[in-house]
Amino acid sequence: MSSNTRISYKVDGKVQGVCFRDHTQTIAKRIGVTGYVTNASDGTVKGEAQGSSDAIKQFLEHINEGPSAARVTGVEHSEISTKSGESSFDVK
C-alpha cells in the first residue's frame, strides 16, 4: 500500500453541467481510485484522488478528456499527502 499516490486536481473548461462529476466518479471506481470531485465556484471542477501510480496516471488521462459533452481546456494537479482509511470516491 505504500506505493499509493494522492493528488489534488483542478479541471478547467466546460466542465460543469455536463455530468463531469458523475463521469469522474464512474472512472475512479472502475480503476480503483478513492477521493472526491466537486464543482468549484469559479466554474472549474476540483478534487483529490488516491491510488497506485498507474491508477492515478489513468485517472488523469480520463479527466483530461471528460465526458463527451465536456470541453477540458486544462488540468492542474499536484501531489499531496495520502489519507488512510478512505474507501470510496464521492461526488460532493
Side-chain angles (χ1 to χ4, degrees):
M1 276 295 200
S2 61
S3 65
N4 264 9
T5 302
R6 187 176 188 88
I7 58 164
S8 165
Y9 62 88
K10 179 173 110 168
V11 186
D12 288 299
K14 184 186 170 198
V15 292
Q16 290 191 8
V18 293
C19 297
F20 197 95
R21 291 175 301 160
D22 288 341
H23 174 80
T24 302
Q25 182 183 47
T26 301
I27 295 299
K29 286 181 171 176
R30 191 164 73 216
I31 58 182
V33 169
T34 61
Y36 70 89
V37 60
T38 188
N39 280 341
S41 57
D42 63 1
T44 62
V45 169
K46 295 180 178 178
E48 294 180 3
Q50 179 170 308
S52 69
S53 303
D54 283 351
I56 293 297
K57 192 172 160 228
Q58 278 183 58
F59 178 79
L60 284 167
E61 286 170 9
H62 283 292
I63 64 171
N64 267 288
E65 233 163 81
S68 56
R71 263 200 314 282
V72 176
T73 56
V75 176
E76 293 170 33
H77 70 278
S78 56
E79 208 165 309
I80 57 174
S81 302
T82 57
K83 286 187 181 165
S84 56
E86 189 176 62
S87 60
S88 63
F89 192 94
D90 302 316
V91 172
K92 292 188 174 178

